[in-house]
Amino acid sequence: RKEVEQDPGPFNVPEGATVAFNCTYSNSASQSFFWYRQDCRKEPKLLMSVYSSGNEDGRFTAQLNRASQYISLLIRDSKLSDSATYLCVVITDKLIFGTGTRLQVFP
Amino acid sequence: DAEITQSPRHKITETGRQVTLACHQTWNHNNMFWYRQDLGHGLRLIHYSYGVQDTNKGEVSDGYSVSRSNTEDLPLTLESAASSQTSVYFCASSGDGYEQYFGPGTRLTVT
């Protein structure tokens, strides 16, 4: 089993839709979690950290479920500009990137 | 503004040649990292450094080396390029926290 797993997608959603991605991790000792965004042929950039109690940043909500060992990213009111690949990052004694979930928002 | 740059942005080389990819950051970060990104594998760590004269092997270090002679630079050398090393290479740096700042990437093709 991979240490960090993501559904590669693509998730094709219309503008204005709500979409959610999950990222599962295998190491229960994982300490910190993040979501990065990567546009096509560009570098990854930090989108948001994931806190134990869940956190929101505008249209984006990140949540952590330690019991089931996954993190999630919810995007409300999707915009065309949200089209990108979303990478989850899990930190144990090392930093591990997921392979990413591709989101395509269409008009 | 602080930044992290990579050069060259694109490189085509032949099998067996030595290649060096440059990474330069002006964040004054102690931590620097090299990753490669391939379809189906995501970002995989090649080497990393926590400070001057410190280097460590990552998950896929075979065939690669790094050196850290100052805070700003972490060049990545492919000793003898192989076709399996065709990839996109990202350099990143981080300070005290976990957030990593990535360079724009180098697209390397080994023919």
Side-chain angles (χ1 to χ4, degrees):
Chain A
R1 182 184 172 188
K2 284 185 178 178
E3 292 180 276
V4 176
E5 290 196 80
Q6 293 185 253
D7 182 340
F11 285 61
N12 296 306
V13 303
E15 272 187 293
T18 295
V19 62
F21 317 128
N22 285 344
C23 167
T24 59
Y25 60 93
S26 60
N27 189 336
S28 59
S30 299
Q31 305 155 356
S32 301
F33 308 88
F34 302 87
W35 284 103
Y36 277 69
R37 171 195 168 123
Q38 185 173 24
D39 293 297
C40 189
R41 294 178 171 261
K42 300 276 192 175
E43 72 272 23
K45 292 184 180 177
L46 180 67
L47 179 65
M48 59 196 301
S49 304
V50 185
Y51 302 126
S52 298
S53 54
N55 48 298
E56 234 179 70
D57 183 1
R59 297 181 293 108
F60 298 82
T61 300
Q63 291 192 312
L64 167 63
N65 185 317
R66 282 199 184 273
S68 300
Q69 295 184 200
Y70 72 88
I71 62 172
S72 64
L73 178 67
L74 180 84
I75 305 174
R76 288 182 299 278
D77 188 24
S78 297
K79 312 290 185 192
L80 294 175
S81 57
D82 294 333
S83 297
T85 298
Y86 292 84
L87 310 173
C88 66
V89 175
V90 175
I91 298 176
T92 52
D93 59 339
K94 55 186 177 180
L95 190 150
I96 304 170
F97 281 84
T99 53
T101 296
R102 188 166 157 237
L103 171 67
Q104 185 67 47
V105 181
F106 58 88
Chain B
D1 282 349
E3 61 177 357
I4 179 166
T5 57
Q6 293 183 234
S7 62
R9 297 292 314 277
H10 301 271
K11 174 79 176 177
I12 300 174
T13 191
E14 294 177 345
T15 301
R17 289 193 180 267
Q18 184 181 79
V19 176
T20 297
L21 309 183
C23 175
H24 179 82
Q25 53 100 0
T26 58
W27 292 97
N28 200 34
H29 285 160
N30 283 327
N31 310 322
M32 295 185 73
F33 309 83
W34 273 104
Y35 296 90
R36 60 179 289 176
Q37 188 174 36
D38 306 283
L39 275 174
H41 288 283
L43 283 158
R44 291 183 291 174
L45 184 62
I46 305 171
H47 281 286
Y48 59 100
S49 168
Y50 288 148
V52 176
Q53 303 301 333
D54 175 72
T55 61
N56 306 279
K57 293 181 178 180
E59 177 189 356
V60 289
S61 61
D62 286 350
Y64 303 94
S65 63
V66 293
S67 61
R68 187 91 181 269
S69 59
N70 58 51
T71 301
E72 296 80 17
D73 299 289
L74 187 70
L76 177 72
T77 297
L78 287 68
E79 304 295 343
S80 176
S83 56
S84 59
Q85 295 177 307
T86 292
S87 187
V88 179
Y89 290 86
F90 287 103
C91 178
S93 71
S94 69
D96 294 334
Y98 289 119
E99 179 178 0
Q100 296 198 357
Y101 296 83
F102 284 82
T106 294
R107 192 169 293 271
L108 177 68
T109 302
V110 182
T111 61

